[in-house]
Amino acid sequence: MTNLRDVIEFAHSLWPLSGAESWDAPGLVSGSLDAPINRILFAVDAVAETVQQAVEVEADLLITHHPLLMRGVTSVNEELYKGNLIAQLIRGNVALLAAHTNADVVENGVSDVIAQSLGLLNTAPIQPGVVAGTGIGRVGQLPQATTLGALARELADLLPNTAGGVKVSGDFNASVSRVALCGGAGDSLLATDFVRTADVYITSDLRHHPAQEAREQALVSGGPALIDVSHWASEWLWLDVAAEQIQKQFPEIDVEVSDLRTDPWDFLVVQ
Ligand SMILES: [Zn+2]
C-alpha cells in the first residue's frame, strides 16, 4: 500500500524544497505520513470548491500549487476560512500538499510547461537557480516569428477560459520571436536583462505602475510588449504534467486534475 510518505518523497524529488523561495512555505500542510493514498486530486488553489471536491471524490491527498498556509496563522478557528478548510480536510481524511515556487523553477515546472506549450526553443530560466537548468521564468525563441496579436490569440486558445481573458500592451501587428514568460505574478522580473531584451513578456497580475514603467522605458531604450494572462490559468497548465509524473510513478493510485476554475474573477463588462 502506498502511503503519504512515499508520495511526498517522490514529489519532493520532482520539486525539491531547496528550490523554493525563502518567503515560501511549500510542503505538507496537513495529513499523516502513514495515511494510505489511493486517490490524489490536483488543483491550483485550496479553496472551498476544490476542498469540497477533494472530499466528495474521496481523495486521500489534495496537491495544490498555492500553499493554503503561507504566512503566519494563529488560529484554525472554523469561522475563519483557512481554519474551516483545514477542518474539512482533516474530517474528510484528505491530506494537503503544496508545491509552489519549488515547482515553478524546475524542468517541467510551471513556467517550463507554458514555454513547452508555446513550442519555445533554446529555453533558459530568466533568473537561474542554484541547480543548472532551473530557475524562475523562461525565455526562448518561437519556432517561427509571429505577430503580437496572433501570439495573444494562441495563448487565449491554449489557456482555460477566464473572465479577464488575455490583455496586451503593444502593437497588434508587431513581430515577435523572442518570448520571456513567468507563470503566476511575474512583475518582479520586468527589469531583468532577459525580459528587457525579449520581444514580449507574458505573465500575470501586472499592475498599472510596473506595466506602465516598463512600457515607457521601452519607448526610450527598447523593451518587450506585455501580455497579461490570468494567474490561475497560467499555472493550471502545469497540473496535467505534474499529475502525469505522479501517475507514472504510482500507477496504482487514481490521479485526477480538478477542472474547477478558481480564478477569483467571474465576469467582465466590456466597454
Ligand atoms: Zn501563483
Side-chain angles (χ1 to χ4, degrees):
M1 174 65 83
T2 307
N3 62 24
L4 184 55
R5 184 179 282 105
D6 304 323
V7 176
I8 288 191
E9 190 180 281
F10 179 67
H12 287 164
S13 72
L14 293 175
W15 317 304
L17 291 174
S18 57
E21 295 288 302
S22 56
W23 46 261
D24 198 8
L28 188 62
V29 180
S30 70
S32 161
L33 292 177
D34 295 321
I37 303 292
N38 293 304
R39 180 166 293 164
I40 298 175
L41 182 69
F42 271 88
V44 172
D45 299 291
V47 292
E49 277 187 305
T50 51
V51 166
Q52 205 176 348
Q53 184 181 30
V55 173
E56 273 171 17
V57 303
E58 298 183 340
D60 306 295
L61 171 63
L62 173 62
I63 301 181
T64 63
H65 183 48
H66 293 138
L68 176 63
L69 306 180
M70 198 169 82
R71 302 200 172 88
V73 171
T74 56
S75 163
V76 287
N77 171 358
E78 290 180 43
E79 293 303 308
L80 300 171
Y81 93 92
K82 291 187 181 184
N84 194 293
L85 294 182
I86 291 288
Q88 285 187 56
L89 288 164
I90 292 172
R91 287 196 196 103
N93 280 319
V94 186
L96 178 62
L97 174 73
H100 194 211
T101 54
N102 52 318
D104 283 329
V105 297
V106 294
E107 192 187 341
N108 295 313
V110 174
S111 290
D112 200 36
V113 166
I114 304 171
Q116 289 171 23
S117 305
L118 291 172
L120 295 192
L121 305 170
N122 303 319
T123 55
I126 293 175
Q127 227 164 41
V130 258
V131 179
T134 72
I136 299 174
R138 290 294 183 270
V139 60
Q141 210 72 24
L142 285 171
Q144 58 188 60
T146 183
T147 63
L148 183 58
L151 180 63
R153 181 72 255 168
E154 191 181 337
L155 275 166
D157 294 339
L158 185 69
L159 297 170
N161 290 349
T162 51
V166 173
K167 284 186 292 186
V168 185
S169 174
D171 179 359
F172 188 94
N173 293 311
S175 174
V176 290
S177 59
R178 191 154 178 80
V179 177
L181 61 86
C182 181
D187 61 2
S188 64
L189 301 177
L190 278 167
T192 60
D193 286 345
F194 275 139
V195 170
R196 289 186 58 185
T197 55
D199 298 319
V200 58
Y201 180 45
I202 304 164
T203 189
S204 302
D205 296 344
L206 284 176
R207 291 168 299 144
H208 174 91
H209 289 298
Q212 189 173 63
E213 284 172 17
R215 294 298 290 149
E216 289 298 310
Q217 188 57 43
L219 293 176
V220 177
S221 54
L226 302 175
I227 299 184
D228 186 295
V229 299
S230 150
H231 186 134
W232 166 79
S234 73
E235 297 174 336
W236 188 83
L237 284 185
W238 165 75
L239 300 182
D240 272 340
V241 174
E244 241 173 73
Q245 289 173 309
I246 297 281
Q247 184 71 83
K248 206 170 160 196
Q249 177 71 13
F250 302 105
E252 71 283 9
I253 296 179
D254 179 18
V255 184
E256 297 170 21
V257 173
S258 171
D259 55 6
L260 294 174
R261 182 175 53 80
T262 59
D263 184 274
W265 304 109
D266 291 316
F267 63 90
L268 180 72
V269 179
V270 180
Q271 292 174 305

